[in-house]
Amino acid sequence: MFTPKAIGYVRSPYGSTSEVPRGLGAEHKAEGILEILPEFAPGLQDIEGFSHLFILWMFDRADNAELVGPSPQDGKPHGVFASRSPRRPNPIGLTVVELLRREGNKLHVRGVDMLVNSPILDIKPYQSSIPMEKLRRGWLAEAEAKAAQEPTGK
C-alpha cells in the first residue's frame, strides 16, 4: 500500500476554495512559495534551470469524491477524470507553475491555485514534446468557443 508523504507545504494567498479563480477565462497568476521540508531540500539541486514545474499536491480539504458533477466552465456534468475537480477518489492535484527563483528550500512561483498549507507530494520539471497543434482540449474547447461567441456585458 502506498502512503503519500508531504515533501513540503504551499504558501498561498488563498485561504479558501472560493478565493481561487475558476471558470472560463480564469487566470492563475497568483504568486506563492513552495516550502520544501529540510530533509528533501537536496532534491532541489539544479531545479533553477527550469522555467516551469509540475506540482503534485493534495486536496487535503476536499469533500467526498464525486464521479460526475457540474463544472464551473459550462455548468454541465462531466466525469471527474475529464475535469480538474478537487472531489476525486484520490485527492491529488496537479498544477503547472512558473519558477521565479529559489531561495534555499523555498521555491518562489507564479500560477498558484492551491490553498495555503496544502501538502506538496512531488515536483517535476515541466517537459513536453507534444506540439500545441496536436493537443486536444475536449469539452473545454467547446465551452471556450461558445463563451467567445456570446456578447459581452452580461
Side-chain angles (χ1 to χ4, degrees):
M1 183 64 153
F2 169 71
T3 304
K5 175 173 27 176
I7 63 165
Y9 295 89
V10 178
R11 289 193 190 171
S12 165
Y14 304 123
S16 70
T17 55
S18 63
E19 298 171 26
V20 180
R22 293 185 288 186
L24 288 175
E27 295 184 2
H28 297 286
K29 294 183 177 184
E31 292 186 13
I33 298 172
L34 309 179
E35 187 165 351
I36 306 308
L37 296 172
E39 62 265 33
F40 297 108
L44 296 174
Q45 181 178 326
D46 300 323
I47 202 163
E48 299 91 338
F50 293 92
S51 65
H52 291 77
L53 306 169
F54 286 115
I55 310 301
L56 290 163
W57 54 282
M58 195 161 102
F59 288 108
D60 61 322
R61 286 157 268 182
D63 295 330
N64 295 331
E66 185 176 72
L67 294 179
V68 177
S71 82
Q73 286 85 0
D74 65 0
K76 296 179 184 176
H78 299 284
V80 70
F81 304 125
S83 77
R84 295 186 55 88
S85 169
R87 301 182 72 188
R88 313 183 79 74
N90 290 305
I92 298 170
L94 173 66
T95 298
V96 175
V97 296
E98 179 184 3
L99 178 59
L100 301 174
R101 70 184 180 281
R102 174 184 171 195
E103 292 177 352
N105 66 327
K106 295 178 178 79
L107 301 177
H108 294 256
V109 297
R110 180 181 297 124
V112 169
D113 64 355
M114 311 91 140
L115 300 182
V116 67
N117 294 324
S118 292
I120 301 167
L121 302 176
D122 202 1
I123 300 170
K124 299 179 185 297
Y126 181 89
Q127 299 171 339
S128 178
S129 60
I130 302 169
M132 288 300 291
E133 66 272 6
K134 296 271 186 178
L135 292 175
R136 295 189 323 244
R137 295 177 46 84
W139 63 265
L140 187 55
E142 182 180 317
E144 289 169 336
K146 182 178 178 184
Q149 294 175 354
E150 291 178 357
T152 57
K154 283 184 156 184

